[in-house]
Amino acid sequence: MVMRACSICKRLTVKTCPYHPEARLVDNWKGEIIVLDCEKSELAKKLGIEKPGTYALRL
Ligand SMILES: [Zn+2]
């Protein structure tokens, strides 16, 4: 299963981003971050992540 990243919100997805179905998908990201609780995650705040999920780092 190949995961790709939404070019807008950086969420990792298999098909299309549920929030940005029109977005281009990127497959050369360098790492990933799993956000379970956006309120408590400093890194999520820093990256501007507002919804739980798996996100790509350094697209
Ligand atoms: Zn997106």
Side-chain angles (χ1 to χ4, degrees):
M1 190 171 70
V2 179
M3 296 292 275
R4 296 197 290 171
C6 170
S7 60
I8 296 174
C9 69
K10 299 181 174 59
R11 174 184 288 270
L12 292 183
T13 179
V14 178
K15 290 177 186 168
T16 56
C17 174
Y19 301 103
H20 311 102
E22 79 286 1
R24 190 170 57 90
L25 295 175
V26 181
D27 55 12
N28 60 342
W29 38 278
K30 304 281 193 297
E32 63 188 69
I33 168 181
I34 298 169
V35 177
L36 300 175
D37 190 335
C38 307
E39 299 292 312
K40 290 177 184 162
S41 170
E42 289 300 320
L43 187 54
K45 283 180 193 164
K46 212 168 160 183
L47 296 171
I49 293 170
E50 293 168 348
K51 297 184 180 69
T54 307
Y55 294 83
L57 289 175
R58 288 197 280 157
L59 289 182

